[in-house]
Amino acid sequence: MIKTNALRLLDKKKIEYNVFETELDETHTAGEVAENIGKSQDVVYKTLVTISKSNNYYVFVLPANKELDLKKCAKAVGEKSVEMLKSKLLLETTGYVHGGCSPFNMKKFFKTTFYIDCKNHDKILVNAGKIGMMVELKVSDIEKVIRVQFADICAD
């Protein structure tokens, strides 16, 4: 198995995890990835990056079956508004490509917010830093890896 930057960070922090791989490419949705690896869409999380008018970047992590509410996201991070970062800027900003963006070990640390409902699960899966690779870890371990907050960031 190829070790990504995200997995190297989990190893360094001595976090237990399981890796799931699929042959799907970046054109597939997080929901399709969940189905392909045999996991529920409410425990497979996608990582989305936004930018504010003040040029601050924010990372939001939410279930495959949910959509971001950008107004809730802005409120969660104390901004007037945020918008999705254009895909072409993702690699230079985070070090990850579209479809392979992990909330762990980006080029720089960005304020990261996980959907509050993830606390209802023992484990969730997030991208491991490579298209088609997901990492499953305990929700309680997320705060051992990165500084994170939890908030209602999803559309109703």
Side-chain angles (χ1 to χ4, degrees), residues 9-50:
L9 178 62
L10 294 175
D11 289 343
K12 180 180 174 184
K13 299 281 187 174
K14 297 183 177 19
I15 302 296
E16 289 184 28
Y17 61 85
N18 294 310
V19 173
F20 293 82
E21 292 191 77
T22 178
E23 294 300 316
L24 298 178
D25 62 22
E26 73 278 358
T27 65
H28 290 83
T29 67
E32 290 169 322
V33 170
E35 184 178 319
N36 195 270
I37 62 174
K39 295 288 184 175
S40 169
Q41 288 190 34
D42 63 339
V43 297
V44 173
Y45 277 56
K46 54 190 171 185
T47 303
L48 302 176
V49 182
T50 64

Side-chain angles (χ1 to χ4, degrees), residues 60-76:
F60 296 97
V61 188
L62 64 156
N65 59 356
K66 298 280 186 183
E67 295 299 324
L68 273 186
D69 180 321
L70 292 174
K71 287 184 181 191
K72 287 181 180 179
C73 291
K75 183 178 179 183

Side-chain angles (χ1 to χ4, degrees), residues 9 16 22 33-34 39 46 58-59 63 69 77 79 81 90 102-103 118 127 135 149:
L9 178 62
E16 289 184 28
T22 178
V33 170
K39 295 288 184 175
K46 54 190 171 185
Y58 298 98
V59 177
D69 180 321
V77 296
E79 291 280 357
S81 66
L90 193 62
S102 177
C118 77
N127 195 283
V135 60
Q149 67 177 11

Side-chain angles (χ1 to χ4, degrees), residues 12 29 33 36 38 45-46 48 56-57 76 90 92 94 96 103 108 119 139 141 149-150:
K12 180 180 174 184
T29 67
V33 170
N36 195 270
Y45 277 56
K46 54 190 171 185
L48 302 176
N56 291 314
Y57 297 97
L90 193 62
E92 71 183 62
T94 67
Y96 292 119
K108 289 175 42 182
K119 290 186 167 199
V139 172
D141 284 340
Q149 67 177 11
F150 299 90

